[in-house]
Amino acid sequence: MSRSHGLASTFGAQAWTAPARTPLYYPDAVTLVPGTELSAVATGIDTTMPGASVEDSFADLDLVDAGFQVLFEGQWIHRPASAPATASDLGWEVAGTRDKLRAWAHAWDDGDGNADLFRPELLDDPATFVLAGRSPDGEVVAGAVASRSDQVVGVSNVFALKGGPDAAWPGVLDAVHSLFPAAPVVGYEHGDDLAAALRHGFEPVGPLRIWLHG
């Protein structure tokens, strides 16, 4: 996401960091190993203005003295490679053109004014797949973003305009399984979204914490 906005970032031994503020909803730093040192996170991001965030991937940092507060705590989730137990009544596809991505983004945003977060440059990433669920009349009414690695598929931005994540997950999982039938699915959720994911075959595998500066 940061690359699609033209932002530079660095993978260090302990953390990924972006020196300029990242796009809305995306962290400025992500810890990569347990026991990450504070300096590996705080010195690589801009904390001069409120709003910097850190994805504490192992929920083992204490960033209070650095001016951060906990925004929320969640759980990493894992689902073995398999088709969903419940079929979706939507038509699913990869939103692989600018027009399809724009339609997906406006459905995801649902009028909040942040649809431009998903730029056409995202389509240039061969590991990113924007999944769109369409109603019989062709409107995008559900979706997610799938990110492929060598071992797993990460899923984020799960939404449905009606019915919430419970309405989205069957189609999302079916689309992922069709694209990558042998790949487990991972991600993170919290609150009601976590409960929905667990209903669709995921298991919690470890905690994480999101910190917000200022």
Side-chain angles (χ1 to χ4, degrees):
M1 178 61 78
S2 291
R3 284 197 302 270
S4 72
H5 283 251
L7 300 177
S9 62
T10 300
F11 278 96
Q14 298 185 31
W16 172 90
T17 55
R21 189 57 39 80
T22 51
L24 183 68
Y25 305 130
Y26 288 82
D28 298 78
V30 178
T31 61
L32 304 177
V33 295
T36 295
E37 298 174 0
L38 174 60
S39 60
V41 174
T43 60
I45 63 177
D46 180 9
T47 58
T48 60
M49 296 288 289
S53 61
V54 173
E55 182 179 305
D56 178 4
S57 302
F58 303 90
D60 61 356
L61 295 180
D62 185 350
L63 300 180
V64 173
D65 289 344
F68 288 83
Q69 59 185 336
V70 175
L71 182 62
F72 66 85
E73 296 184 344
Q75 283 282 332
W76 293 106
I77 55 175
H78 174 277
R79 187 182 190 277
S82 64
T86 305
S88 174
D89 58 357
L90 303 177
W92 286 81
E93 66 175 356
V94 175
T97 69
R98 289 183 173 224
D99 287 345
K100 289 181 178 181
L101 178 62
R102 186 181 303 112
W104 181 96
H106 280 283
W108 168 85
D109 180 62
D110 197 22
D112 286 341
N114 299 311
D116 289 342
L117 180 66
F118 293 89
R119 296 185 174 182
E121 289 81 1
L122 194 64
L123 301 174
D124 297 331
D125 184 356
T128 299
F129 301 80
V130 179
L131 306 176
R134 294 184 179 273
S135 64
D137 62 2
E139 294 296 317
V140 178
V141 295
V145 177
S147 302
R148 183 71 166 102
S149 74
D150 291 339
Q151 291 83 29
V152 298
V153 177
V155 173
S156 63
N157 301 91
V158 177
F159 77 92
L161 297 182
K162 294 182 180 180
D166 277 312
W169 272 121
V172 171
L173 292 170
D174 186 52
V176 169
H177 186 65
S178 296
L179 290 168
F180 312 107
V185 184
V186 299
Y188 79 77
E189 299 289 357
H190 73 287
D192 292 343
D193 291 339
L194 173 61
L198 300 185
R199 288 192 290 271
H200 291 273
F202 286 90
E203 294 185 354
V205 293
L208 78 154
R209 186 177 293 137
I210 305 297
W211 295 85
L212 181 66
H213 189 266

